[in-house]
Amino acid sequence: MKILFSRRTAVVCGTLLASVIANAQAWPSKPIKFVVPFTAGGANDLMARAAAEGAGKVLGQTIVIDNKPGAGGTLGADFVAKSAPDGYTFLISAAGVISNHMIKKSMPFKESDLTPVALIALAPSVIVAPPNSTYNNLREFVEASKKSPDGFNFATAGTGSTPHFVAEVLKSKYGAKLQVVPYKSGNESATAIMGGQVQATSEASIISLPKIQGGKMKALANTWTSRISSYSQLSTAAEQGFPEVKIAHWAGVHAPTGVPAEVMDKVAAAVDAAMKMPEIANRLKAVGIEPMGGTRAAFVQFVAEEKGRLAVIVKASGMKEE
């Protein structure tokens, strides 16, 4: 009986394995869904739509964008984490997919429920000041904050937002005297800058560049490792002597854990090809977004490095959900 049971089990397992392989090879046989955990029109959404357009052409299948905003990206991420791992539902991820687990008191899903698939693109964050401010770059801003009796107010879009991380790095690594002022959104903090209510903030290039070029904000530094293609006159924080200021508003693709490796590899290759299409790459660069792409392995490494860097900042600053 034991031998018979083992043989039957082997047959069943073999059948299931063959089915999984066949499904992976036939994929995609229907439209794919990219879940964007933010509202339409922002940087994450724009990058998602560019990836969907190009990757859809490569895969020969429609990729539908489904916006599910809420809870700082957690609502959409939870939806994908709990979706069937059949290769038809993916998350358009951002830094919050990493940092939320570090700073929130509780999360509705485990970090291991999502698997990195592909890096789409990134929008460097730009540190900005009111247009009439006396400091003209990041170095002058940091030095001026140290000399100010009460320090400077630095606006953020809330705990764990990209500008919050920028402020904490400037404080912990370079001694900037900053008071973090949390607003409900990046739009509110941008309004505070333009109204001169705070001394600085940082915001995604896609949001800040039009305001900088319109004279409503003054650009101090780009927070990524290379200059922005469409605004190359702005130096990076590293070029000004602040190499630890390395952060961007990036968008990637995560899958519910359990999606076959063959499917994830195909998605990564399709996104990489999309970011190399001139019509898509040039469209993104024109608004301050840098197309990235790359292999699935490269994105896995990118996520691991981001997690390591952000964890150090969270620990040093005591950053926690309010």
Side-chain angles (χ1 to χ4, degrees):
M1 288 297 293
K2 291 183 178 178
I3 294 174
L4 181 60
F5 178 76
S6 298
R7 287 176 178 172
R8 286 178 177 173
T9 302
V11 170
V12 171
C13 290
T15 302
L16 289 173
L17 179 61
S19 176
V20 169
I21 292 173
N23 287 337
Q25 290 174 340
W27 180 94
S29 60
K30 62 180 182 180
I32 300 161
K33 182 184 294 184
F34 277 2
V35 176
V36 177
F38 304 100
T39 55
N44 189 270
D45 180 72
L46 183 61
M47 290 185 265
R49 292 177 189 276
E53 176 188 336
K57 291 178 181 177
V58 174
L59 296 171
Q61 189 57 260
T62 300
I63 299 179
V64 179
I65 299 296
D66 184 7
N67 293 90
K68 291 186 181 296
T74 299
L75 184 65
D78 181 49
F79 176 85
V80 175
K82 294 173 179 173
S83 295
D86 57 6
Y88 290 97
T89 304
F90 294 90
L91 173 71
I92 299 300
S93 51
V97 78
I98 300 170
S99 60
N100 282 339
H101 284 276
M102 299 177 186
I103 65 176
K104 287 184 176 289
K105 296 176 183 177
S106 63
M107 289 286 287
F109 64 95
K110 296 183 292 184
E111 191 174 4
S112 59
D113 290 339
L114 292 169
T115 299
V117 177
L119 178 61
I120 298 172
L122 59 85
S125 192
V126 179
I127 302 174
V128 294
N132 61 350
S133 56
T134 57
Y135 34 90
N136 298 301
N137 54 52
L138 183 57
R139 178 160 295 283
E140 291 180 3
F141 168 77
V142 170
E143 292 305 313
S145 76
K146 293 177 181 178
K147 296 174 182 177
S148 173
D150 299 318
F152 284 168
N153 290 326
F154 195 101
T156 76
T159 301
S161 61
T162 297
H164 190 185
F165 277 100
V166 170
E168 295 297 348
V169 171
L170 290 173
K171 288 167 61 180
S172 63
K173 297 291 184 179
Y174 302 106
K177 192 188 296 184
L178 304 176
Q179 300 295 328
V180 172
V181 181
Y183 286 83
K184 293 181 180 179
S185 68
N187 285 333
E188 287 190 9
S189 60
T191 299
I193 280 291
M194 293 185 288
Q197 298 162 351
V198 294
Q199 280 73 46
T201 188
S202 74
E203 187 52 85
S205 52
I206 182 176
I207 303 298
S208 57
L209 287 183
K211 294 179 175 63
I212 292 166
Q213 293 166 331
K216 297 178 180 179
M217 291 177 172
K218 180 185 290 186
L220 303 181
N222 154 20
T223 66
W224 194 237
T225 55
S226 56
R227 295 196 178 196
I228 301 169
S229 297
S230 63
Y231 200 72
S232 59
Q233 61 266 48
L234 178 62
S235 60
T236 66
E239 288 176 305
Q240 295 185 39
F242 303 90
E244 297 291 331
V245 180
K246 177 187 174 184
I247 195 164
H249 301 258
W250 56 265
V253 179
H254 271 67
T257 297
V259 171
E262 295 91 340
V263 170
M264 292 192 290
D265 285 338
K266 288 179 181 178
V267 172
V271 170
D272 180 59
M275 292 302 104
K276 290 179 170 62
M277 294 177 181
E279 66 275 19
I280 290 177
N282 292 336
R283 188 195 317 155
L284 291 175
K285 289 179 180 179
V287 295
I289 294 174
E290 305 299 326
M292 300 298 289
T295 64
R296 182 159 68 95
F299 186 49
V300 169
Q301 182 178 348
F302 176 90
V303 169
E305 291 175 353
E306 282 282 287
K307 183 178 179 180
R309 289 193 308 106
L310 297 181
V312 171
I313 301 169
V314 169
K315 184 177 180 179
S317 64
M319 192 183 296
K320 291 294 179 184
E321 182 182 48
E322 295 155 348

